Structures are given as C-alpha cells and as structure tokens.
Amino acid sequence: MALPSPRDPEVTRAVLAGWIGGRVDGEVSVAPPSGPAATGFSNETILVDATWDEGDGVAEHRLVFRVQPTSHAVFPHDLFEVQHRVMSALGDQRGLRVPRLRWYEEDASVLGAPFMVMDRVDGEAPTDNPPYPTEGWLKDGSPELQRAVWERGLDAMAAVHQVDWKGHGLADLDPCPEGGSRLGARVEEWAAMLRWASPEVRQAVPEAGLAWLRENQPPDIADPALCWGDSRIGNQLFDGRDSPATVHVAAVLDWEMVHVGDPVQDLGWFTWMDHTLSAGLDVPRLPGLPSYPETTARWEAATGRSAHQHRWAEIQAGVGFAIVMVRLTELLKDSELFPHDTDYDRTNMGCVALERALAALDVHPDDLA
C-alpha cells in the first residue's frame, strides 16, 4: 500500500536539474520524473533520467532519489542517514550488491527533507501488493526459477552476516556495546513502537506475542553480526529472470531496520514474511520454494552459525510485522485511504498469521490481563 505523490512533475524536474547541475560539470538535462504510480510509506522514491557531459561525451544517467519520510513515517526513529552510511559501507562487500550511491543531501529546503541519490538498478522484486504467491512473475515462473530466486536471495542475506561491521565503522548500530541483551533490546524496541503506533487502543495479538518473546527469550550469542532487518526477497531486485541458471540478486534494498544482533533474526524474518504472504492469506506457498528446514540448513552452511533459535526469531518477526501493520493502518486512515472505523489493524494478514502461530504455542490474546 502506498501514498500518492503530491509533487508537481515540472517543478520537481526544474529543482532536480538545478541541484544536479551544482554537482557535475557541463549542462544538465533532466527528463520528467517518474516512478511508482504511488510512492511508498518508508521512503518517497523519484526516478529521473538525466544527461550531462562527464568529459568524454554526453551520457545518460538513470537515477533514483530517495527522500526521507516526514509526516508519514512508519518507524518512530529516523535512520535515514544510517541507511545511507550502511549502503556506502557495503558497496564492496563480496557476494552482496547494493545500488551505487552518488550523493547525500542534508538540506531539507531542496525537496522538503534530506535525500540520497543512487544509480538505478535493472531488476524486479517479487511483489507484496499483490503478494507474490498469488500473482506476478515469480508465481508465473517455473518451480526451478522459484527455487533459484529463493536461494540466491537467501545467499545475499547471508552475505550481510559476513560483514565486518566494526571495521566498516558501524559499531554504533550495536544496542548493547557495554553488555546486556541485544535480543531483549530488540523486543523492547518493538514494544516501544507498538505504544507509539497505538497509544490508545489495545493490540492484543502483538501484545501476547511480546509477552511470549520475553518469557522465552534465548541467551544472546557472543559474536553478533550486522542484521539487515527487513530481510526478504521482496526487498531484493532480481535480474536474469528468464532462466534459473542466470537469475541473480542485482540489489539488496531497504535498510530501515538495520541493526547489530543475532543474525538468526534475519533468517526468521526471511521465512516468516514468506509464510505470512501465503498462510496469512490462506493461499499455498509457491511450489518451487525450498522448505523452511532446507532454508535454515543452507543459511547455517553459508554463515557457519546455528539456526537453533529460528522459531523464536520467527515469532519475533511476526510480532514486528504485526506492529508495522498497526502503524500502516493508522497512516492509511490518516490519508483517508481506509475508513476510520476499519479493523484492519487487527484483521490484516500479519496479525492473522501471528495469532495462529501463538495459538499453536497455546498462547491466546484473550488470556492477557
């Protein structure tokens, strides 16, 4: 779900032409901006084709402007600059592709908020809307293509967990640099976000999930890793989609939830989100996707780490996604895209999937005090 862009295309075109012109030599020509029919909640995205002379002739540059969210922020804490810093650090990571970053603008007077500029990457992501188990290029592809996409995406996620996060200057992403539980800190971050997203209305399903996570929290690992956060194939661009032999991850996107911690959390989010997009909607998984046990075994082999706490991490992912959906419901109501009496904050696929998973653990929201 997304919000319509409020920008006037011609005004935006002129602003961007002038801004780019201040950073390159020679005359700049900018085509009318385009992009998704509606911009996303996490970041506004503006696609621009621009030309300028780089010294050996005029060349066209396909650019992406990502603008920091302001009035419609999904998360309570702004990590926009952190996203840019993380993507800059990962540009040379073996086995991991991120878009090439060109510029970062802190001056909010240009587009109303800070923004980053990167080269556009050829590729397509499996869609969330409509969910890829129901329609789209991945569903229409062969089982062999579906397996290849899943495995390539999983391997790219595992590459994140190999990053020397301290050596790349990302030590400030560690929530417990002097001791304490990183898993506990993550759970409490979700709890704080739920209070922020729904300060007046009880959300029994994610609250029950939070209680279970606290009661069953495993011990922290001694060697934390960089965690992508929003780790799923829907946040990856795939190129070479005509053949299982050539399909590959062209870019890993969306670092709003990046942190340092136990990387099994990324594995949990990776499998849980696929489960939610299928079981949460009562549709089958795509037939070519490897089983979750196969997935955890492949991740363990790639990282040399244990997936013993995978189920706990899946429940944490279920709680986190349910809380995100609570926040998105409020944004959709504020934008008058949903009626104000909607119950979508409780009936969305994320809450449905989480409530079923908790019931299998004999945890029931109605039992909450």
Side-chain angles (χ1 to χ4, degrees), residues 268-302:
W269 194 277
F270 193 89
T271 55
W272 180 263
M273 289 303 300
D274 177 72
H275 170 78
T276 299
L277 291 174
S278 51
L281 296 171
D282 293 318
V283 299
R285 291 185 76 215
L286 296 181
L289 299 185
S291 69
Y292 296 146
E294 286 182 86
T295 299
T296 58
R298 185 181 182 95
W299 179 81
E300 287 181 321

PDB file of all heavy atoms in Angstrom, residues 268-302:
ATOM      1  N   GLY A 268      14.737 -15.513  10.559  1.00  0.00           N
ATOM      2  CA  GLY A 268      13.345 -15.599  10.992  1.00  0.00           C
ATOM      3  C   GLY A 268      12.438 -14.685  10.191  1.00  0.00           C
ATOM      4  O   GLY A 268      11.326 -15.071   9.799  1.00  0.00           O
ATOM      5  N   TRP A 269      12.908 -13.467   9.923  1.00  0.00           N
ATOM      6  CA  TRP A 269      12.095 -12.523   9.136  1.00  0.00           C
ATOM      7  C   TRP A 269      11.945 -13.029   7.701  1.00  0.00           C
ATOM      8  O   TRP A 269      10.872 -12.932   7.102  1.00  0.00           O
ATOM      9  CB  TRP A 269      12.745 -11.145   9.162  1.00  0.00           C
ATOM     10  CG  TRP A 269      11.869 -10.027   8.689  1.00  0.00           C
ATOM     11  CD1 TRP A 269      11.659  -9.650   7.387  1.00  0.00           C
ATOM     12  CD2 TRP A 269      11.071  -9.133   9.477  1.00  0.00           C
ATOM     13  NE1 TRP A 269      10.801  -8.587   7.316  1.00  0.00           N
ATOM     14  CE2 TRP A 269      10.418  -8.244   8.600  1.00  0.00           C
ATOM     15  CE3 TRP A 269      10.867  -8.991  10.855  1.00  0.00           C
ATOM     16  CZ2 TRP A 269       9.574  -7.235   9.043  1.00  0.00           C
ATOM     17  CZ3 TRP A 269      10.014  -7.973  11.294  1.00  0.00           C
ATOM     18  CH2 TRP A 269       9.375  -7.116  10.395  1.00  0.00           C
ATOM     19  N   PHE A 270      13.016 -13.593   7.158  1.00  0.00           N
ATOM     20  CA  PHE A 270      13.017 -14.091   5.779  1.00  0.00           C
ATOM     21  C   PHE A 270      11.947 -15.165   5.580  1.00  0.00           C
ATOM     22  O   PHE A 270      11.160 -15.119   4.620  1.00  0.00           O
ATOM     23  CB  PHE A 270      14.410 -14.649   5.465  1.00  0.00           C
ATOM     24  CG  PHE A 270      14.681 -14.922   4.021  1.00  0.00           C
ATOM     25  CD1 PHE A 270      15.202 -13.940   3.193  1.00  0.00           C
ATOM     26  CD2 PHE A 270      14.453 -16.175   3.487  1.00  0.00           C
ATOM     27  CE1 PHE A 270      15.478 -14.190   1.858  1.00  0.00           C
ATOM     28  CE2 PHE A 270      14.723 -16.445   2.152  1.00  0.00           C
ATOM     29  CZ  PHE A 270      15.241 -15.449   1.332  1.00  0.00           C
ATOM     30  N   THR A 271      11.896 -16.142   6.479  1.00  0.00           N
ATOM     31  CA  THR A 271      10.922 -17.219   6.333  1.00  0.00           C
ATOM     32  C   THR A 271       9.533 -16.797   6.793  1.00  0.00           C
ATOM     33  O   THR A 271       8.528 -17.189   6.196  1.00  0.00           O
ATOM     34  CB  THR A 271      11.375 -18.463   7.118  1.00  0.00           C
ATOM     35  OG1 THR A 271      11.612 -18.111   8.496  1.00  0.00           O
ATOM     36  CG2 THR A 271      12.650 -19.040   6.507  1.00  0.00           C
ATOM     37  N   TRP A 272       9.472 -15.976   7.859  1.00  0.00           N
ATOM     38  CA  TRP A 272       8.162 -15.574   8.361  1.00  0.00           C
ATOM     39  C   TRP A 272       7.400 -14.727   7.347  1.00  0.00           C
ATOM     40  O   TRP A 272       6.189 -14.899   7.179  1.00  0.00           O
ATOM     41  CB  TRP A 272       8.283 -14.814   9.678  1.00  0.00           C
ATOM     42  CG  TRP A 272       6.927 -14.396  10.184  1.00  0.00           C
ATOM     43  CD1 TRP A 272       6.313 -13.188  10.024  1.00  0.00           C
ATOM     44  CD2 TRP A 272       5.992 -15.236  10.876  1.00  0.00           C
ATOM     45  NE1 TRP A 272       5.057 -13.208  10.575  1.00  0.00           N
ATOM     46  CE2 TRP A 272       4.833 -14.446  11.102  1.00  0.00           C
ATOM     47  CE3 TRP A 272       6.024 -16.542  11.330  1.00  0.00           C
ATOM     48  CZ2 TRP A 272       3.718 -14.959  11.766  1.00  0.00           C
ATOM     49  CZ3 TRP A 272       4.905 -17.045  11.992  1.00  0.00           C
ATOM     50  CH2 TRP A 272       3.780 -16.255  12.198  1.00  0.00           C
ATOM     51  N   MET A 273       8.082 -13.828   6.680  1.00  0.00           N
ATOM     52  CA  MET A 273       7.383 -12.985   5.721  1.00  0.00           C
ATOM     53  C   MET A 273       6.826 -13.805   4.571  1.00  0.00           C
ATOM     54  O   MET A 273       5.720 -13.555   4.077  1.00  0.00           O
ATOM     55  CB  MET A 273       8.309 -11.892   5.202  1.00  0.00           C
ATOM     56  CG  MET A 273       8.630 -10.816   6.231  1.00  0.00           C
ATOM     57  SD  MET A 273       7.146 -10.007   6.902  1.00  0.00           S
ATOM     58  CE  MET A 273       6.444  -9.313   5.403  1.00  0.00           C
ATOM     59  N   ASP A 274       7.551 -14.814   4.127  1.00  0.00           N
ATOM     60  CA  ASP A 274       7.018 -15.705   3.103  1.00  0.00           C
ATOM     61  C   ASP A 274       5.812 -16.467   3.635  1.00  0.00           C
ATOM     62  O   ASP A 274       4.789 -16.611   2.944  1.00  0.00           O
ATOM     63  CB  ASP A 274       8.117 -16.677   2.662  1.00  0.00           C
ATOM     64  CG  ASP A 274       7.610 -17.691   1.651  1.00  0.00           C
ATOM     65  OD1 ASP A 274       7.361 -17.290   0.497  1.00  0.00           O
ATOM     66  OD2 ASP A 274       7.447 -18.875   2.028  1.00  0.00           O
ATOM     67  N   HIS A 275       5.900 -16.940   4.867  1.00  0.00           N
ATOM     68  CA  HIS A 275       4.776 -17.633   5.497  1.00  0.00           C
ATOM     69  C   HIS A 275       3.557 -16.717   5.589  1.00  0.00           C
ATOM     70  O   HIS A 275       2.425 -17.133   5.296  1.00  0.00           O
ATOM     71  CB  HIS A 275       5.193 -18.101   6.892  1.00  0.00           C
ATOM     72  CG  HIS A 275       4.060 -18.613   7.737  1.00  0.00           C
ATOM     73  ND1 HIS A 275       3.519 -19.866   7.576  1.00  0.00           N
ATOM     74  CD2 HIS A 275       3.355 -18.017   8.742  1.00  0.00           C
ATOM     75  CE1 HIS A 275       2.540 -20.037   8.441  1.00  0.00           C
ATOM     76  NE2 HIS A 275       2.416 -18.934   9.170  1.00  0.00           N
ATOM     77  N   THR A 276       3.776 -15.466   5.973  1.00  0.00           N
ATOM     78  CA  THR A 276       2.665 -14.522   6.131  1.00  0.00           C
ATOM     79  C   THR A 276       1.978 -14.243   4.799  1.00  0.00           C
ATOM     80  O   THR A 276       0.743 -14.161   4.732  1.00  0.00           O
ATOM     81  CB  THR A 276       3.178 -13.213   6.746  1.00  0.00           C
ATOM     82  OG1 THR A 276       3.726 -13.484   8.037  1.00  0.00           O
ATOM     83  CG2 THR A 276       2.057 -12.189   6.882  1.00  0.00           C
ATOM     84  N   LEU A 277       2.764 -14.086   3.730  1.00  0.00           N
ATOM     85  CA  LEU A 277       2.191 -13.782   2.418  1.00  0.00           C
ATOM     86  C   LEU A 277       1.447 -14.973   1.823  1.00  0.00           C
ATOM     87  O   LEU A 277       0.724 -14.812   0.834  1.00  0.00           O
ATOM     88  CB  LEU A 277       3.278 -13.326   1.459  1.00  0.00           C
ATOM     89  CG  LEU A 277       3.896 -11.961   1.759  1.00  0.00           C
ATOM     90  CD1 LEU A 277       5.063 -11.681   0.826  1.00  0.00           C
ATOM     91  CD2 LEU A 277       2.863 -10.850   1.656  1.00  0.00           C
ATOM     92  N   SER A 278       1.614 -16.146   2.408  1.00  0.00           N
ATOM     93  CA  SER A 278       0.876 -17.316   1.927  1.00  0.00           C
ATOM     94  C   SER A 278      -0.148 -17.753   2.976  1.00  0.00           C
ATOM     95  O   SER A 278      -1.346 -17.536   2.808  1.00  0.00           O
ATOM     96  CB  SER A 278       1.844 -18.454   1.569  1.00  0.00           C
ATOM     97  OG  SER A 278       2.746 -18.711   2.631  1.00  0.00           O
ATOM     98  N   ALA A 279       0.327 -18.298   4.086  1.00  0.00           N
ATOM     99  CA  ALA A 279      -0.597 -18.808   5.104  1.00  0.00           C
ATOM    100  C   ALA A 279      -1.459 -17.705   5.699  1.00  0.00           C
ATOM    101  O   ALA A 279      -2.622 -17.941   6.060  1.00  0.00           O
ATOM    102  CB  ALA A 279       0.183 -19.513   6.207  1.00  0.00           C
ATOM    103  N   GLY A 280      -0.899 -16.483   5.813  1.00  0.00           N
ATOM    104  CA  GLY A 280      -1.687 -15.374   6.349  1.00  0.00           C
ATOM    105  C   GLY A 280      -2.843 -14.988   5.455  1.00  0.00           C
ATOM    106  O   GLY A 280      -3.789 -14.323   5.896  1.00  0.00           O
ATOM    107  N   LEU A 281      -2.786 -15.419   4.186  1.00  0.00           N
ATOM    108  CA  LEU A 281      -3.853 -15.153   3.223  1.00  0.00           C
ATOM    109  C   LEU A 281      -4.568 -16.433   2.801  1.00  0.00           C
ATOM    110  O   LEU A 281      -5.385 -16.407   1.874  1.00  0.00           O
ATOM    111  CB  LEU A 281      -3.269 -14.455   1.982  1.00  0.00           C
ATOM    112  CG  LEU A 281      -2.661 -13.069   2.232  1.00  0.00           C
ATOM    113  CD1 LEU A 281      -1.918 -12.591   0.983  1.00  0.00           C
ATOM    114  CD2 LEU A 281      -3.747 -12.068   2.611  1.00  0.00           C
ATOM    115  N   ASP A 282      -4.216 -17.529   3.459  1.00  0.00           N
ATOM    116  CA  ASP A 282      -4.814 -18.835   3.149  1.00  0.00           C
ATOM    117  C   ASP A 282      -4.596 -19.242   1.697  1.00  0.00           C
ATOM    118  O   ASP A 282      -5.498 -19.769   1.041  1.00  0.00           O
ATOM    119  CB  ASP A 282      -6.313 -18.833   3.484  1.00  0.00           C
ATOM    120  CG  ASP A 282      -6.568 -18.710   4.978  1.00  0.00           C
ATOM    121  OD1 ASP A 282      -5.849 -19.363   5.754  1.00  0.00           O
ATOM    122  OD2 ASP A 282      -7.475 -17.949   5.359  1.00  0.00           O
ATOM    123  N   VAL A 283      -3.391 -18.995   1.205  1.00  0.00           N
ATOM    124  CA  VAL A 283      -3.004 -19.466  -0.129  1.00  0.00           C
ATOM    125  C   VAL A 283      -1.732 -20.299   0.030  1.00  0.00           C
ATOM    126  O   VAL A 283      -0.956 -20.101   0.973  1.00  0.00           O
ATOM    127  CB  VAL A 283      -2.762 -18.297  -1.113  1.00  0.00           C
ATOM    128  CG1 VAL A 283      -4.040 -17.482  -1.299  1.00  0.00           C
ATOM    129  CG2 VAL A 283      -1.630 -17.397  -0.642  1.00  0.00           C
ATOM    130  N   PRO A 284      -1.489 -21.240  -0.879  1.00  0.00           N
ATOM    131  CA  PRO A 284      -0.302 -22.099  -0.732  1.00  0.00           C
ATOM    132  C   PRO A 284       0.982 -21.365  -1.086  1.00  0.00           C
ATOM    133  O   PRO A 284       0.983 -20.397  -1.851  1.00  0.00           O
ATOM    134  CB  PRO A 284      -0.585 -23.232  -1.730  1.00  0.00           C
ATOM    135  CG  PRO A 284      -1.507 -22.636  -2.749  1.00  0.00           C
ATOM    136  CD  PRO A 284      -2.357 -21.645  -2.006  1.00  0.00           C
ATOM    137  N   ARG A 285       2.082 -21.832  -0.506  1.00  0.00           N
ATOM    138  CA  ARG A 285       3.400 -21.345  -0.922  1.00  0.00           C
ATOM    139  C   ARG A 285       3.640 -21.728  -2.372  1.00  0.00           C
ATOM    140  O   ARG A 285       3.053 -22.692  -2.891  1.00  0.00           O
ATOM    141  CB  ARG A 285       4.513 -21.957  -0.072  1.00  0.00           C
ATOM    142  CG  ARG A 285       4.576 -21.516   1.353  1.00  0.00           C
ATOM    143  CD  ARG A 285       5.819 -22.114   2.032  1.00  0.00           C
ATOM    144  NE  ARG A 285       7.040 -21.406   1.629  1.00  0.00           N
ATOM    145  CZ  ARG A 285       8.213 -21.981   1.470  1.00  0.00           C
ATOM    146  NH1 ARG A 285       8.343 -23.300   1.603  1.00  0.00           N
ATOM    147  NH2 ARG A 285       9.274 -21.269   1.139  1.00  0.00           N
ATOM    148  N   LEU A 286       4.517 -20.999  -3.009  1.00  0.00           N
ATOM    149  CA  LEU A 286       4.879 -21.353  -4.377  1.00  0.00           C
ATOM    150  C   LEU A 286       5.561 -22.719  -4.382  1.00  0.00           C
ATOM    151  O   LEU A 286       6.392 -23.010  -3.509  1.00  0.00           O
ATOM    152  CB  LEU A 286       5.802 -20.286  -4.962  1.00  0.00           C
ATOM    153  CG  LEU A 286       5.178 -18.890  -5.123  1.00  0.00           C
ATOM    154  CD1 LEU A 286       6.188 -17.924  -5.735  1.00  0.00           C
ATOM    155  CD2 LEU A 286       3.913 -18.943  -5.963  1.00  0.00           C
ATOM    156  N   PRO A 287       5.247 -23.566  -5.352  1.00  0.00           N
ATOM    157  CA  PRO A 287       5.696 -24.963  -5.296  1.00  0.00           C
ATOM    158  C   PRO A 287       7.200 -25.155  -5.393  1.00  0.00           C
ATOM    159  O   PRO A 287       7.730 -26.159  -4.902  1.00  0.00           O
ATOM    160  CB  PRO A 287       4.984 -25.606  -6.493  1.00  0.00           C
ATOM    161  CG  PRO A 287       4.671 -24.469  -7.416  1.00  0.00           C
ATOM    162  CD  PRO A 287       4.393 -23.295  -6.520  1.00  0.00           C
ATOM    163  N   GLY A 288       7.907 -24.201  -6.001  1.00  0.00           N
ATOM    164  CA  GLY A 288       9.341 -24.375  -6.172  1.00  0.00           C
ATOM    165  C   GLY A 288      10.174 -23.907  -4.996  1.00  0.00           C
ATOM    166  O   GLY A 288      11.391 -24.152  -4.962  1.00  0.00           O
ATOM    167  N   LEU A 289       9.570 -23.239  -4.026  1.00  0.00           N
ATOM    168  CA  LEU A 289      10.351 -22.703  -2.912  1.00  0.00           C
ATOM    169  C   LEU A 289      10.822 -23.830  -1.987  1.00  0.00           C
ATOM    170  O   LEU A 289      10.035 -24.691  -1.609  1.00  0.00           O
ATOM    171  CB  LEU A 289       9.522 -21.695  -2.119  1.00  0.00           C
ATOM    172  CG  LEU A 289       9.029 -20.464  -2.880  1.00  0.00           C
ATOM    173  CD1 LEU A 289       8.327 -19.501  -1.921  1.00  0.00           C
ATOM    174  CD2 LEU A 289      10.163 -19.756  -3.604  1.00  0.00           C
ATOM    175  N   PRO A 290      12.090 -23.818  -1.605  1.00  0.00           N
ATOM    176  CA  PRO A 290      12.569 -24.837  -0.671  1.00  0.00           C
ATOM    177  C   PRO A 290      11.820 -24.760   0.654  1.00  0.00           C
ATOM    178  O   PRO A 290      11.306 -23.707   1.042  1.00  0.00           O
ATOM    179  CB  PRO A 290      14.047 -24.468  -0.479  1.00  0.00           C
ATOM    180  CG  PRO A 290      14.407 -23.683  -1.695  1.00  0.00           C
ATOM    181  CD  PRO A 290      13.160 -22.921  -2.058  1.00  0.00           C
ATOM    182  N   SER A 291      11.770 -25.877   1.364  1.00  0.00           N
ATOM    183  CA  SER A 291      11.132 -25.899   2.676  1.00  0.00           C
ATOM    184  C   SER A 291      11.909 -25.025   3.639  1.00  0.00           C
ATOM    185  O   SER A 291      13.075 -24.677   3.406  1.00  0.00           O
ATOM    186  CB  SER A 291      11.072 -27.336   3.205  1.00  0.00           C
ATOM    187  OG  SER A 291      12.384 -27.780   3.523  1.00  0.00           O
ATOM    188  N   TYR A 292      11.282 -24.683   4.750  1.00  0.00           N
ATOM    189  CA  TYR A 292      11.978 -23.874   5.748  1.00  0.00           C
ATOM    190  C   TYR A 292      13.132 -24.637   6.396  1.00  0.00           C
ATOM    191  O   TYR A 292      14.186 -24.032   6.651  1.00  0.00           O
ATOM    192  CB  TYR A 292      10.989 -23.354   6.784  1.00  0.00           C
ATOM    193  CG  TYR A 292       9.950 -22.407   6.181  1.00  0.00           C
ATOM    194  CD1 TYR A 292       8.645 -22.365   6.666  1.00  0.00           C
ATOM    195  CD2 TYR A 292      10.270 -21.576   5.103  1.00  0.00           C
ATOM    196  CE1 TYR A 292       7.706 -21.514   6.108  1.00  0.00           C
ATOM    197  CE2 TYR A 292       9.334 -20.726   4.540  1.00  0.00           C
ATOM    198  CZ  TYR A 292       8.043 -20.704   5.049  1.00  0.00           C
ATOM    199  OH  TYR A 292       7.114 -19.864   4.491  1.00  0.00           O
ATOM    200  N   PRO A 293      13.012 -25.960   6.666  1.00  0.00           N
ATOM    201  CA  PRO A 293      14.203 -26.672   7.143  1.00  0.00           C
ATOM    202  C   PRO A 293      15.357 -26.646   6.139  1.00  0.00           C
ATOM    203  O   PRO A 293      16.524 -26.493   6.538  1.00  0.00           O
ATOM    204  CB  PRO A 293      13.685 -28.099   7.372  1.00  0.00           C
ATOM    205  CG  PRO A 293      12.236 -27.918   7.698  1.00  0.00           C
ATOM    206  CD  PRO A 293      11.791 -26.785   6.820  1.00  0.00           C
ATOM    207  N   GLU A 294      15.063 -26.793   4.850  1.00  0.00           N
ATOM    208  CA  GLU A 294      16.122 -26.667   3.847  1.00  0.00           C
ATOM    209  C   GLU A 294      16.749 -25.274   3.898  1.00  0.00           C
ATOM    210  O   GLU A 294      17.965 -25.108   3.749  1.00  0.00           O
ATOM    211  CB  GLU A 294      15.555 -26.912   2.452  1.00  0.00           C
ATOM    212  CG  GLU A 294      15.235 -28.327   2.082  1.00  0.00           C
ATOM    213  CD  GLU A 294      14.715 -28.411   0.652  1.00  0.00           C
ATOM    214  OE1 GLU A 294      15.534 -28.498  -0.279  1.00  0.00           O
ATOM    215  OE2 GLU A 294      13.480 -28.353   0.471  1.00  0.00           O
ATOM    216  N   THR A 295      15.898 -24.287   4.076  1.00  0.00           N
ATOM    217  CA  THR A 295      16.368 -22.906   4.105  1.00  0.00           C
ATOM    218  C   THR A 295      17.306 -22.669   5.285  1.00  0.00           C
ATOM    219  O   THR A 295      18.371 -22.060   5.137  1.00  0.00           O
ATOM    220  CB  THR A 295      15.158 -21.952   4.179  1.00  0.00           C
ATOM    221  OG1 THR A 295      14.340 -22.137   3.017  1.00  0.00           O
ATOM    222  CG2 THR A 295      15.612 -20.503   4.256  1.00  0.00           C
ATOM    223  N   THR A 296      16.922 -23.140   6.458  1.00  0.00           N
ATOM    224  CA  THR A 296      17.775 -22.922   7.625  1.00  0.00           C
ATOM    225  C   THR A 296      19.103 -23.666   7.474  1.00  0.00           C
ATOM    226  O   THR A 296      20.153 -23.150   7.867  1.00  0.00           O
ATOM    227  CB  THR A 296      17.062 -23.363   8.916  1.00  0.00           C
ATOM    228  OG1 THR A 296      16.703 -24.748   8.816  1.00  0.00           O
ATOM    229  CG2 THR A 296      15.803 -22.552   9.154  1.00  0.00           C
ATOM    230  N   ALA A 297      19.062 -24.864   6.882  1.00  0.00           N
ATOM    231  CA  ALA A 297      20.298 -25.617   6.684  1.00  0.00           C
ATOM    232  C   ALA A 297      21.230 -24.894   5.711  1.00  0.00           C
ATOM    233  O   ALA A 297      22.452 -24.853   5.925  1.00  0.00           O
ATOM    234  CB  ALA A 297      19.979 -27.021   6.172  1.00  0.00           C
ATOM    235  N   ARG A 298      20.684 -24.317   4.670  1.00  0.00           N
ATOM    236  CA  ARG A 298      21.517 -23.594   3.708  1.00  0.00           C
ATOM    237  C   ARG A 298      22.134 -22.358   4.362  1.00  0.00           C
ATOM    238  O   ARG A 298      23.307 -22.037   4.147  1.00  0.00           O
ATOM    239  CB  ARG A 298      20.679 -23.195   2.490  1.00  0.00           C
ATOM    240  CG  ARG A 298      21.494 -22.546   1.359  1.00  0.00           C
ATOM    241  CD  ARG A 298      20.606 -22.149   0.182  1.00  0.00           C
ATOM    242  NE  ARG A 298      21.374 -21.584  -0.909  1.00  0.00           N
ATOM    243  CZ  ARG A 298      21.833 -22.269  -1.972  1.00  0.00           C
ATOM    244  NH1 ARG A 298      21.585 -23.569  -2.050  1.00  0.00           N
ATOM    245  NH2 ARG A 298      22.528 -21.674  -2.910  1.00  0.00           N
ATOM    246  N   TRP A 299      21.338 -21.657   5.181  1.00  0.00           N
ATOM    247  CA  TRP A 299      21.857 -20.474   5.867  1.00  0.00           C
ATOM    248  C   TRP A 299      22.953 -20.857   6.850  1.00  0.00           C
ATOM    249  O   TRP A 299      23.978 -20.182   6.953  1.00  0.00           O
ATOM    250  CB  TRP A 299      20.717 -19.753   6.587  1.00  0.00           C
ATOM    251  CG  TRP A 299      21.153 -18.538   7.341  1.00  0.00           C
ATOM    252  CD1 TRP A 299      21.377 -17.288   6.836  1.00  0.00           C
ATOM    253  CD2 TRP A 299      21.439 -18.455   8.750  1.00  0.00           C
ATOM    254  NE1 TRP A 299      21.772 -16.428   7.848  1.00  0.00           N
ATOM    255  CE2 TRP A 299      21.814 -17.125   9.026  1.00  0.00           C
ATOM    256  CE3 TRP A 299      21.399 -19.373   9.793  1.00  0.00           C
ATOM    257  CZ2 TRP A 299      22.153 -16.699  10.304  1.00  0.00           C
ATOM    258  CZ3 TRP A 299      21.737 -18.955  11.074  1.00  0.00           C
ATOM    259  CH2 TRP A 299      22.107 -17.635  11.315  1.00  0.00           C
ATOM    260  N   GLU A 300      22.763 -21.939   7.594  1.00  0.00           N
ATOM    261  CA  GLU A 300      23.786 -22.389   8.533  1.00  0.00           C
ATOM    262  C   GLU A 300      25.089 -22.711   7.803  1.00  0.00           C
ATOM    263  O   GLU A 300      26.177 -22.369   8.276  1.00  0.00           O
ATOM    264  CB  GLU A 300      23.292 -23.612   9.296  1.00  0.00           C
ATOM    265  CG  GLU A 300      22.229 -23.298  10.353  1.00  0.00           C
ATOM    266  CD  GLU A 300      21.796 -24.536  11.098  1.00  0.00           C
ATOM    267  OE1 GLU A 300      21.660 -25.602  10.455  1.00  0.00           O
ATOM    268  OE2 GLU A 300      21.584 -24.463  12.321  1.00  0.00           O
ATOM    269  N   ALA A 301      24.970 -23.373   6.642  1.00  0.00           N
ATOM    270  CA  ALA A 301      26.163 -23.722   5.881  1.00  0.00           C
ATOM    271  C   ALA A 301      26.866 -22.473   5.352  1.00  0.00           C
ATOM    272  O   ALA A 301      28.099 -22.416   5.305  1.00  0.00           O
ATOM    273  CB  ALA A 301      25.791 -24.648   4.724  1.00  0.00           C
ATOM    274  N   ALA A 302      26.089 -21.467   4.967  1.00  0.00           N
ATOM    275  CA  ALA A 302      26.676 -20.249   4.398  1.00  0.00           C
ATOM    276  C   ALA A 302      27.330 -19.375   5.452  1.00  0.00           C
ATOM    277  O   ALA A 302      28.322 -18.689   5.169  1.00  0.00           O
ATOM    278  CB  ALA A 302      25.597 -19.451   3.658  1.00  0.00           C
TER     279      ALA A 302
END
